[in-house]
Amino acid sequence: MDFSQRVFCGEVKTDDAGRDILLAGWVDAYRDHGGLLFIHLRDRSGIIQIVFSPDVAGENFCRQAAALRAEFCIAVQGEVRRRLSGTENPNIETGEIEIFVKKLNVLGESDPLPFAISDKAMVAGSASAGEDNVAEDLRLQYRYLDIRRPVMQNNLLLRHRIFLTVREFLSSRGFVEVETPCLTMSTPEGARDYLVPSRVHEQKFYALPQSPQLFKQLLMIGGMERYFQLARCFRDEDLRPNRQPEFTQLDIEASFIDEEFLYDLIEDLTCRMFSIGGITLKRPFARMTYREAMDTTGSDRPDLRFGLRFVEVTDLFSQTKYAIFRQILQRGGCIKGINIKGQSEKLSKNVLQNEYAKEIAPSFGAKGMTWMRAEEGRLESNIVQFFSEAELNGLKKRFNVEDGDVLIMVADPSYQIVVSALGQLRLHLANRLGLISAGSFYPVWVTEFPLFEATDEGGVTSSHHPFTAPDRVDFDPKNVEDLLQLRSRAYDLVVNGEELGGGSIRINNRDLQRKIFAALGLTEEETKEKFGFFLRAFDFGAPPHGGLALGMDRTVSMILQTSSIREVIAFPKNRSAACPLTGAPSSVKREQLAELGLLNPGGENTLPGDAHQENLLDRISWVSRIGATAEERKTLEQALVQADKLAILARENAGLDDPLCTVTPVANRMREGAKEKRSIFAEKGQLLKSAPAVKGSYFKVNAVLE
Ligand code: ASP
């Protein structure tokens, strides 16, 4: 079959009427009209109706066509005809024409499908299959079928277009795409590493990169100046709904730049990417410091599509007689609230008291929630009588209260609890009251993060990663209080409450980098062991540099407004980080583990590389790649003792000092007086004649004999 003449289904036009064309694709749906058979033929470009009529196709092809079923892969040759008036199908782009088939070739038959693929109705006016409710694991198990669905194909095509835009735009701005290794050393991004054992270097491991952070900085030191990469990253994190253990990051780094350079670059790029999904973003993007974001939305990923910002009211109650507030303030606490403008009709006393104050707020960690409704110029609630006129007037003024408004307040000795509970209430209310308009996008840069977070052990850990520049350098690495005051030159890009990415201006001074490691509690030795190679690079003129990374699965998913990031990844893992298609992760053969030096010789929780090296029995198990159960070990130990005795005896009898045999670490020794000489059988090529597998002058042996 000559496919060079093939025409794409979606590209046939009414003007083609009268032409003979060749089409190839899959049977999307079929309808048998007794004598006439109609088929929707689908390829990547779209769907077209093909008709088998005995007058045109002949008996033979019609008989063959009657056996066609959904998802058979076929090629047909036929004539393009305009449909009869009244039989056009507006559900498909090519609904005004159809192909009268003259020849049919079945290229691949299909089993009955595990789920429906077609989503286009064949008859004008009838309902299409629409969104089906196939279990996601089944879709992932048959992902190649799922990908045949036009909506999935469209997702992958648009993802491709977005990636193309990224590449074109960044190249035009002088950025060079450079690949960095996947088999590498651990990169600290706060997650666990995926480890890859090395067969060649027994008991040594590579780590898959959590990000190309160290390499991109080294590229800057290497003078590449502007780098980007659509990089695959791997993070072994606890399962979360919109996370994947491997994901794609747009990784960027540039030298001799500052924050403003990056904001400008990324805003431009983000607008271009979103426009592929038909979304226009307004520039410049909003900016908010971390402090402001926490103070007014309770989140470092503020959703700014709606108001409901927090208002600080602690000071209004400094003299309060209301016992609950008074006690909280005496303990150094704070009070914040939200004015839910004009919503008192939707938020009745009952809803506020019995749902929000009693159930919802406590489920978000608040010990309670105070509410008030504004009616006829007054604030009403079950507790207003406990507040002074001055306090109530203060509230009215601070919140800009008008009739129909609802105030909610959370008070707690802990600032964290107040902002976190109020932040969750804010989102809950926005959803409940329908305050988030669909299709609106609100990007914001969040800046000035704390450089460190406190650990439970009384130390600090990096909020981003340890290469982020602090806002000042005069800190004492041992003074935790001081360290927690430091701000970083980091920034996150947040859209609609989701973090699309983030980065920072980096440290480019060796001593400062050392000081940060010291603050993190790393000793000189540890620093050297983990980052010695990296720090060494700073000895050779490191330029000022900075960058960021955007999570591309998330970004594409947001642009295409899909229900999860898995919809924009060809072969994602499911929610339990497994792949229903391939069965990964799967167990491996013991032989494979042995080859990698990972067999557990003692059958206990020891890994090769530690205790077994000292223990003779473990050593033998290890050398021979045989695991022994606790029961077997006893017998083997007795046998060893016995063997040892025999060996000593034999040695004494023979008058030798050296042991006769050894299973302890092996070394090559030549017999004294022996000379290297090639056997004549080797010369004649007979030596390895009956060996099972030969390579050069060597033959392969089982791992056990290595
Ligand atoms: N490496 C960082 C990350 O993966 C991004 C950056 O700092 O450029 O989050």
Side-chain angles (χ1 to χ4, degrees), residues 224-275:
M224 283 307 290
E225 301 218 5
R226 292 183 183 191
Y227 141 97
F228 82 98
Q229 182 179 194
L230 284 157
R232 199 60 71 82
C233 302
F234 307 84
R235 294 185 192 174
D236 186 1
E237 288 177 298
D238 292 336
L239 300 173
R240 282 197 236 157
N242 241 1
R243 288 270 168 99
Q244 286 280 305
E246 65 180 295
F247 57 95
T248 306
Q249 226 177 234
L250 167 60
D251 199 41
I252 293 180
E253 197 75 9
S255 298
F256 311 110
I257 50 101
D258 58 10
E259 286 90 336
E260 293 305 326
F261 171 90
L262 285 160
Y263 295 159
D264 178 65
L265 180 86
I266 299 303
E267 288 187 16
D268 196 346
L269 176 60
T270 309
C271 289
R272 285 165 195 258
M273 290 196 291
F274 273 69
S275 74

Short mmCIF file of all heavy atoms in Angstrom, two decimals, residues 224-275:
data_model
loop_
_atom_site.label_atom_id
_atom_site.label_comp_id
_atom_site.label_asym_id
_atom_site.label_seq_id
_atom_site.Cartn_x
_atom_site.Cartn_y
_atom_site.Cartn_z
N MET A 224 28.27 29.87 30.44
CA MET A 224 27.20 29.72 29.43
C MET A 224 26.22 30.90 29.47
O MET A 224 25.44 31.09 28.55
CB MET A 224 26.44 28.40 29.65
CG MET A 224 27.16 27.17 29.16
SD MET A 224 27.68 27.29 27.43
CE MET A 224 26.13 27.22 26.58
N GLU A 225 26.25 31.64 30.54
CA GLU A 225 25.46 32.88 30.71
C GLU A 225 23.94 32.71 30.72
O GLU A 225 23.27 33.24 31.57
CB GLU A 225 25.87 33.93 29.67
CG GLU A 225 27.34 34.27 29.77
CD GLU A 225 27.64 35.72 29.54
OE1 GLU A 225 26.72 36.51 29.39
OE2 GLU A 225 28.85 36.05 29.54
N ARG A 226 23.38 32.03 29.72
CA ARG A 226 21.91 31.87 29.73
C ARG A 226 21.57 30.44 29.34
O ARG A 226 21.84 30.01 28.22
CB ARG A 226 21.24 32.84 28.78
CG ARG A 226 21.38 34.26 29.24
CD ARG A 226 20.65 35.24 28.36
NE ARG A 226 20.89 36.59 28.85
CZ ARG A 226 20.25 37.66 28.44
NH1 ARG A 226 19.32 37.55 27.52
NH2 ARG A 226 20.52 38.84 28.94
N TYR A 227 20.99 29.74 30.28
CA TYR A 227 20.71 28.32 30.07
C TYR A 227 19.23 28.03 30.29
O TYR A 227 18.57 28.68 31.08
CB TYR A 227 21.53 27.50 31.08
CG TYR A 227 20.81 26.30 31.68
CD1 TYR A 227 21.00 25.02 31.14
CD2 TYR A 227 19.96 26.44 32.77
CE1 TYR A 227 20.34 23.92 31.70
CE2 TYR A 227 19.31 25.33 33.33
CZ TYR A 227 19.51 24.08 32.79
OH TYR A 227 18.86 22.99 33.33
N PHE A 228 18.70 27.08 29.54
CA PHE A 228 17.40 26.52 29.91
C PHE A 228 17.38 25.05 29.56
O PHE A 228 18.20 24.57 28.79
CB PHE A 228 16.24 27.27 29.25
CG PHE A 228 15.97 26.84 27.82
CD1 PHE A 228 14.96 25.93 27.54
CD2 PHE A 228 16.70 27.36 26.77
CE1 PHE A 228 14.69 25.55 26.23
CE2 PHE A 228 16.43 26.98 25.46
CZ PHE A 228 15.43 26.07 25.19
N GLN A 229 16.43 24.35 30.15
CA GLN A 229 16.27 22.93 29.86
C GLN A 229 14.85 22.53 30.22
O GLN A 229 14.33 22.95 31.26
CB GLN A 229 17.27 22.13 30.70
CG GLN A 229 17.22 20.64 30.44
CD GLN A 229 18.23 19.83 31.25
OE1 GLN A 229 18.46 18.69 30.97
NE2 GLN A 229 18.82 20.42 32.27
N LEU A 230 14.23 21.75 29.35
CA LEU A 230 12.96 21.12 29.72
C LEU A 230 13.36 19.80 30.35
O LEU A 230 13.56 18.81 29.67
CB LEU A 230 12.07 20.97 28.48
CG LEU A 230 11.43 22.30 28.08
CD1 LEU A 230 11.02 22.32 26.63
CD2 LEU A 230 10.24 22.63 28.99
N ALA A 231 13.56 19.87 31.64
CA ALA A 231 14.27 18.79 32.34
C ALA A 231 13.32 17.87 33.08
O ALA A 231 12.35 18.33 33.68
CB ALA A 231 15.24 19.39 33.35
N ARG A 232 13.62 16.59 33.04
CA ARG A 232 12.86 15.64 33.83
C ARG A 232 13.47 15.61 35.23
O ARG A 232 14.68 15.48 35.38
CB ARG A 232 12.95 14.26 33.17
CG ARG A 232 11.89 13.31 33.60
CD ARG A 232 10.49 13.80 33.30
NE ARG A 232 10.18 13.77 31.90
CZ ARG A 232 9.79 12.68 31.25
NH1 ARG A 232 9.67 11.54 31.88
NH2 ARG A 232 9.50 12.74 29.99
N CYS A 233 12.63 15.75 36.24
CA CYS A 233 13.11 15.73 37.62
C CYS A 233 12.39 14.62 38.38
O CYS A 233 11.29 14.24 38.03
CB CYS A 233 12.83 17.06 38.31
SG CYS A 233 13.57 18.44 37.44
N PHE A 234 13.03 14.18 39.44
CA PHE A 234 12.50 13.02 40.17
C PHE A 234 12.50 13.32 41.66
O PHE A 234 13.54 13.68 42.21
CB PHE A 234 13.38 11.79 39.91
CG PHE A 234 13.58 11.52 38.44
CD1 PHE A 234 14.56 12.19 37.71
CD2 PHE A 234 12.78 10.60 37.78
CE1 PHE A 234 14.75 11.96 36.35
CE2 PHE A 234 12.96 10.36 36.43
CZ PHE A 234 13.94 11.04 35.71
N ARG A 235 11.36 13.20 42.29
CA ARG A 235 11.31 13.44 43.74
C ARG A 235 10.47 12.37 44.39
O ARG A 235 9.32 12.16 44.00
CB ARG A 235 10.74 14.82 44.04
CG ARG A 235 11.66 15.92 43.55
CD ARG A 235 11.21 17.31 43.92
NE ARG A 235 12.02 18.26 43.16
CZ ARG A 235 11.84 19.56 43.13
NH1 ARG A 235 10.88 20.11 43.84
NH2 ARG A 235 12.61 20.35 42.41
N ASP A 236 11.07 11.69 45.34
CA ASP A 236 10.36 10.62 46.04
C ASP A 236 9.65 11.24 47.24
O ASP A 236 10.18 11.27 48.33
CB ASP A 236 11.38 9.55 46.48
CG ASP A 236 10.68 8.35 47.08
OD1 ASP A 236 9.44 8.35 47.14
OD2 ASP A 236 11.39 7.42 47.51
N GLU A 237 8.45 11.75 46.96
CA GLU A 237 7.71 12.45 48.01
C GLU A 237 6.49 11.63 48.41
O GLU A 237 6.08 10.74 47.67
CB GLU A 237 7.23 13.80 47.49
CG GLU A 237 8.34 14.79 47.35
CD GLU A 237 7.86 16.10 46.76
OE1 GLU A 237 7.39 16.08 45.62
OE2 GLU A 237 7.97 17.11 47.43
N ASP A 238 5.89 12.00 49.53
CA ASP A 238 4.64 11.35 49.89
C ASP A 238 3.60 11.70 48.85
O ASP A 238 3.66 12.76 48.23
CB ASP A 238 4.21 11.81 51.28
CG ASP A 238 5.17 11.29 52.33
OD1 ASP A 238 5.83 10.27 52.05
OD2 ASP A 238 5.29 11.91 53.40
N LEU A 239 2.66 10.75 48.67
CA LEU A 239 1.69 10.93 47.58
C LEU A 239 0.79 12.12 47.84
O LEU A 239 0.31 12.33 48.93
CB LEU A 239 0.84 9.67 47.47
CG LEU A 239 1.64 8.41 47.17
CD1 LEU A 239 0.75 7.19 47.24
CD2 LEU A 239 2.30 8.52 45.81
N ARG A 240 0.61 12.93 46.81
CA ARG A 240 -0.35 14.03 46.88
C ARG A 240 -1.07 14.05 45.54
O ARG A 240 -0.50 13.66 44.52
CB ARG A 240 0.36 15.36 47.13
CG ARG A 240 0.74 15.50 48.59
CD ARG A 240 1.05 16.93 48.93
NE ARG A 240 2.39 17.00 49.49
CZ ARG A 240 3.13 18.08 49.50
NH1 ARG A 240 2.68 19.18 48.93
NH2 ARG A 240 4.31 18.09 50.05
N PRO A 241 -2.33 14.52 45.54
CA PRO A 241 -3.15 14.35 44.34
C PRO A 241 -2.52 14.87 43.05
O PRO A 241 -2.54 14.19 42.05
CB PRO A 241 -4.42 15.14 44.65
CG PRO A 241 -4.43 15.33 46.11
CD PRO A 241 -3.05 15.17 46.62
N ASN A 242 -1.95 16.05 43.07
CA ASN A 242 -1.45 16.59 41.81
C ASN A 242 0.07 16.55 41.70
O ASN A 242 0.69 17.47 41.18
CB ASN A 242 -1.99 18.00 41.59
CG ASN A 242 -2.82 18.06 40.32
OD1 ASN A 242 -3.00 17.05 39.64
ND2 ASN A 242 -3.32 19.24 39.98
N ARG A 243 0.65 15.47 42.21
CA ARG A 243 2.11 15.32 42.14
C ARG A 243 2.43 14.06 41.36
O ARG A 243 1.67 13.11 41.35
CB ARG A 243 2.68 15.14 43.56
CG ARG A 243 2.66 16.37 44.39
CD ARG A 243 3.96 17.15 44.20
NE ARG A 243 3.85 18.46 44.77
CZ ARG A 243 4.33 18.81 45.96
NH1 ARG A 243 4.95 17.93 46.69
NH2 ARG A 243 4.19 20.04 46.41
N GLN A 244 3.57 14.07 40.73
CA GLN A 244 4.08 12.89 40.04
C GLN A 244 5.50 12.66 40.52
O GLN A 244 6.24 13.63 40.70
CB GLN A 244 4.10 13.14 38.53
CG GLN A 244 2.74 13.11 37.86
CD GLN A 244 2.27 11.70 37.61
OE1 GLN A 244 2.95 10.90 36.98
NE2 GLN A 244 1.10 11.37 38.12
N PRO A 245 5.91 11.40 40.68
CA PRO A 245 7.29 11.16 41.13
C PRO A 245 8.31 11.65 40.11
O PRO A 245 9.41 12.03 40.45
CB PRO A 245 7.37 9.65 41.29
CG PRO A 245 6.11 9.09 40.73
CD PRO A 245 5.11 10.18 40.58
N GLU A 246 7.95 11.62 38.84
CA GLU A 246 8.83 12.27 37.85
C GLU A 246 7.99 13.31 37.14
O GLU A 246 6.82 13.10 36.86
CB GLU A 246 9.42 11.27 36.86
CG GLU A 246 8.46 10.60 35.96
CD GLU A 246 9.15 9.63 35.01
OE1 GLU A 246 9.93 10.10 34.16
OE2 GLU A 246 8.90 8.42 35.12
N PHE A 247 8.60 14.44 36.89
CA PHE A 247 7.85 15.54 36.29
C PHE A 247 8.79 16.40 35.45
O PHE A 247 10.02 16.24 35.54
CB PHE A 247 7.17 16.38 37.38
CG PHE A 247 8.13 16.93 38.39
CD1 PHE A 247 8.65 18.21 38.26
CD2 PHE A 247 8.55 16.16 39.46
CE1 PHE A 247 9.55 18.72 39.18
CE2 PHE A 247 9.46 16.66 40.39
CZ PHE A 247 9.96 17.94 40.24
N THR A 248 8.19 17.26 34.65
CA THR A 248 9.01 18.06 33.74
C THR A 248 9.06 19.50 34.23
O THR A 248 8.03 20.09 34.52
CB THR A 248 8.45 18.00 32.32
OG1 THR A 248 8.32 16.64 31.97
CG2 THR A 248 9.37 18.69 31.33
N GLN A 249 10.26 20.00 34.31
CA GLN A 249 10.47 21.36 34.78
C GLN A 249 11.08 22.18 33.65
O GLN A 249 11.95 21.68 32.94
CB GLN A 249 11.50 21.27 35.90
CG GLN A 249 11.14 22.06 37.11
CD GLN A 249 12.13 21.90 38.24
OE1 GLN A 249 11.76 21.56 39.31
NE2 GLN A 249 13.39 22.16 37.98
N LEU A 250 10.61 23.41 33.50
CA LEU A 250 11.37 24.33 32.65
C LEU A 250 12.38 24.99 33.56
O LEU A 250 12.02 25.78 34.43
CB LEU A 250 10.45 25.37 32.00
CG LEU A 250 11.21 26.54 31.36
CD1 LEU A 250 12.15 26.06 30.27
CD2 LEU A 250 10.23 27.56 30.80
N ASP A 251 13.64 24.63 33.37
CA ASP A 251 14.69 25.08 34.27
C ASP A 251 15.48 26.19 33.58
O ASP A 251 15.87 26.04 32.42
CB ASP A 251 15.59 23.88 34.58
CG ASP A 251 16.41 24.09 35.80
OD1 ASP A 251 15.87 24.63 36.77
OD2 ASP A 251 17.61 23.73 35.79
N ILE A 252 15.66 27.28 34.29
CA ILE A 252 16.29 28.46 33.67
C ILE A 252 17.36 29.02 34.60
O ILE A 252 17.17 29.01 35.82
CB ILE A 252 15.22 29.55 33.42
CG1 ILE A 252 14.25 29.08 32.34
CG2 ILE A 252 15.84 30.89 33.04
CD1 ILE A 252 13.16 30.06 32.01
N GLU A 253 18.45 29.49 34.04
CA GLU A 253 19.47 30.16 34.84
C GLU A 253 20.16 31.20 33.97
O GLU A 253 20.35 30.97 32.76
CB GLU A 253 20.49 29.13 35.37
CG GLU A 253 21.32 29.61 36.52
CD GLU A 253 20.58 29.66 37.87
OE1 GLU A 253 19.46 29.16 37.98
OE2 GLU A 253 21.17 30.22 38.83
N ALA A 254 20.50 32.32 34.55
CA ALA A 254 21.19 33.37 33.78
C ALA A 254 22.19 34.09 34.66
O ALA A 254 22.00 34.20 35.88
CB ALA A 254 20.18 34.36 33.21
N SER A 255 23.25 34.59 34.04
CA SER A 255 24.29 35.33 34.78
C SER A 255 24.16 36.82 34.55
O SER A 255 23.60 37.25 33.53
CB SER A 255 25.68 34.89 34.31
OG SER A 255 25.87 33.53 34.56
N PHE A 256 24.72 37.58 35.46
CA PHE A 256 24.75 39.04 35.39
C PHE A 256 23.33 39.61 35.25
O PHE A 256 23.05 40.43 34.37
CB PHE A 256 25.63 39.51 34.22
CG PHE A 256 26.98 38.84 34.20
CD1 PHE A 256 27.31 37.91 33.21
CD2 PHE A 256 27.91 39.11 35.19
CE1 PHE A 256 28.54 37.27 33.22
CE2 PHE A 256 29.15 38.48 35.20
CZ PHE A 256 29.46 37.56 34.21
N ILE A 257 22.44 39.11 36.05
CA ILE A 257 21.04 39.56 35.99
C ILE A 257 20.56 39.80 37.42
O ILE A 257 21.24 39.47 38.39
CB ILE A 257 20.14 38.50 35.34
CG1 ILE A 257 20.35 37.11 35.98
CG2 ILE A 257 20.42 38.38 33.86
CD1 ILE A 257 19.35 36.72 36.93
N ASP A 258 19.37 40.37 37.53
CA ASP A 258 18.76 40.51 38.86
C ASP A 258 17.31 40.03 38.77
O ASP A 258 16.87 39.54 37.72
CB ASP A 258 18.83 41.96 39.34
CG ASP A 258 18.15 42.90 38.36
OD1 ASP A 258 17.48 42.41 37.42
OD2 ASP A 258 18.29 44.13 38.51
N GLU A 259 16.56 40.21 39.87
CA GLU A 259 15.19 39.74 39.93
C GLU A 259 14.36 40.33 38.78
O GLU A 259 13.57 39.62 38.15
CB GLU A 259 14.54 40.14 41.26
CG GLU A 259 15.00 39.34 42.46
CD GLU A 259 16.21 39.94 43.17
OE1 GLU A 259 16.98 40.68 42.51
OE2 GLU A 259 16.41 39.66 44.37
N GLU A 260 14.55 41.64 38.51
CA GLU A 260 13.70 42.30 37.52
C GLU A 260 13.86 41.66 36.13
O GLU A 260 12.89 41.54 35.39
CB GLU A 260 14.04 43.80 37.43
CG GLU A 260 13.68 44.58 38.68
CD GLU A 260 12.20 44.42 39.08
OE1 GLU A 260 11.34 44.31 38.19
OE2 GLU A 260 11.93 44.40 40.30
N PHE A 261 15.09 41.25 35.81
CA PHE A 261 15.33 40.58 34.52
C PHE A 261 14.46 39.33 34.43
O PHE A 261 13.78 39.08 33.42
CB PHE A 261 16.82 40.22 34.40
CG PHE A 261 17.12 39.34 33.21
CD1 PHE A 261 17.45 39.90 31.98
CD2 PHE A 261 17.07 37.96 33.32
CE1 PHE A 261 17.71 39.08 30.88
CE2 PHE A 261 17.33 37.14 32.23
CZ PHE A 261 17.66 37.70 31.01
N LEU A 262 14.47 38.57 35.52
CA LEU A 262 13.73 37.30 35.49
C LEU A 262 12.22 37.53 35.49
O LEU A 262 11.48 36.84 34.78
CB LEU A 262 14.14 36.43 36.68
CG LEU A 262 15.52 35.79 36.47
CD1 LEU A 262 16.13 35.36 37.76
CD2 LEU A 262 15.43 34.64 35.49
N TYR A 263 11.75 38.51 36.26
CA TYR A 263 10.31 38.78 36.26
C TYR A 263 9.85 39.12 34.85
O TYR A 263 8.84 38.62 34.36
CB TYR A 263 9.95 39.95 37.19
CG TYR A 263 10.21 39.69 38.66
CD1 TYR A 263 10.36 40.75 39.56
CD2 TYR A 263 10.30 38.40 39.17
CE1 TYR A 263 10.59 40.53 40.92
CE2 TYR A 263 10.55 38.18 40.51
CZ TYR A 263 10.70 39.24 41.38
OH TYR A 263 10.93 39.02 42.71
N ASP A 264 10.62 39.98 34.20
CA ASP A 264 10.24 40.42 32.85
C ASP A 264 10.22 39.23 31.88
O ASP A 264 9.27 39.03 31.14
CB ASP A 264 11.23 41.49 32.39
CG ASP A 264 10.91 41.96 30.99
OD1 ASP A 264 9.83 42.54 30.83
OD2 ASP A 264 11.70 41.69 30.06
N LEU A 265 11.30 38.44 31.95
CA LEU A 265 11.42 37.29 31.05
C LEU A 265 10.26 36.31 31.25
O LEU A 265 9.61 35.88 30.30
CB LEU A 265 12.76 36.58 31.35
CG LEU A 265 13.07 35.36 30.50
CD1 LEU A 265 13.75 35.79 29.20
CD2 LEU A 265 13.97 34.38 31.25
N ILE A 266 10.02 35.98 32.50
CA ILE A 266 9.04 34.93 32.79
C ILE A 266 7.61 35.43 32.56
O ILE A 266 6.74 34.68 32.12
CB ILE A 266 9.22 34.40 34.23
CG1 ILE A 266 10.63 33.80 34.38
CG2 ILE A 266 8.17 33.37 34.60
CD1 ILE A 266 10.97 32.70 33.40
N GLU A 267 7.39 36.70 32.83
CA GLU A 267 6.04 37.23 32.57
C GLU A 267 5.75 37.16 31.07
O GLU A 267 4.67 36.72 30.65
CB GLU A 267 5.92 38.67 33.09
CG GLU A 267 5.88 38.72 34.60
CD GLU A 267 5.59 40.12 35.15
OE1 GLU A 267 5.14 40.99 34.40
OE2 GLU A 267 5.84 40.31 36.36
N ASP A 268 6.72 37.57 30.28
CA ASP A 268 6.55 37.52 28.82
C ASP A 268 6.28 36.08 28.38
O ASP A 268 5.32 35.80 27.65
CB ASP A 268 7.84 38.06 28.16
CG ASP A 268 7.62 38.41 26.70
OD1 ASP A 268 6.60 37.99 26.15
OD2 ASP A 268 8.49 39.09 26.11
N LEU A 269 7.11 35.17 28.87
CA LEU A 269 6.97 33.76 28.49
C LEU A 269 5.63 33.19 28.95
O LEU A 269 4.94 32.49 28.20
CB LEU A 269 8.13 32.95 29.09
CG LEU A 269 8.08 31.44 28.86
CD1 LEU A 269 8.09 31.12 27.37
CD2 LEU A 269 9.24 30.74 29.55
N THR A 270 5.26 33.49 30.19
CA THR A 270 4.01 32.95 30.73
C THR A 270 2.81 33.43 29.90
O THR A 270 1.91 32.66 29.59
CB THR A 270 3.84 33.35 32.21
OG1 THR A 270 5.05 33.03 32.89
CG2 THR A 270 2.70 32.63 32.88
N CYS A 271 2.83 34.72 29.54
CA CYS A 271 1.73 35.25 28.72
C CYS A 271 1.65 34.50 27.40
O CYS A 271 0.57 34.14 26.94
CB CYS A 271 1.94 36.73 28.45
SG CYS A 271 1.68 37.72 29.91
N ARG A 272 2.82 34.25 26.80
CA ARG A 272 2.82 33.54 25.51
C ARG A 272 2.28 32.12 25.68
O ARG A 272 1.52 31.63 24.85
CB ARG A 272 4.25 33.45 24.95
CG ARG A 272 4.73 34.76 24.39
CD ARG A 272 6.24 34.72 24.19
NE ARG A 272 6.74 36.06 24.00
CZ ARG A 272 7.07 36.57 22.81
NH1 ARG A 272 6.97 35.84 21.73
NH2 ARG A 272 7.50 37.80 22.71
N MET A 273 2.70 31.45 26.76
CA MET A 273 2.22 30.07 26.96
C MET A 273 0.71 30.05 27.18
O MET A 273 0.00 29.24 26.61
CB MET A 273 2.94 29.45 28.17
CG MET A 273 4.41 29.17 27.93
SD MET A 273 5.10 28.06 29.15
CE MET A 273 5.10 29.06 30.62
N PHE A 274 0.22 30.96 28.03
CA PHE A 274 -1.21 30.96 28.34
C PHE A 274 -2.04 31.32 27.10
O PHE A 274 -3.17 30.86 26.97
CB PHE A 274 -1.52 31.89 29.52
CG PHE A 274 -1.37 31.21 30.85
CD1 PHE A 274 -0.12 30.85 31.32
CD2 PHE A 274 -2.47 30.92 31.64
CE1 PHE A 274 0.04 30.21 32.55
CE2 PHE A 274 -2.33 30.28 32.87
CZ PHE A 274 -1.07 29.92 33.32
N SER A 275 -1.46 32.13 26.22
CA SER A 275 -2.25 32.53 25.04
C SER A 275 -2.53 31.31 24.15
O SER A 275 -3.48 31.31 23.39
CB SER A 275 -1.55 33.65 24.27
OG SER A 275 -0.45 33.11 23.58
#
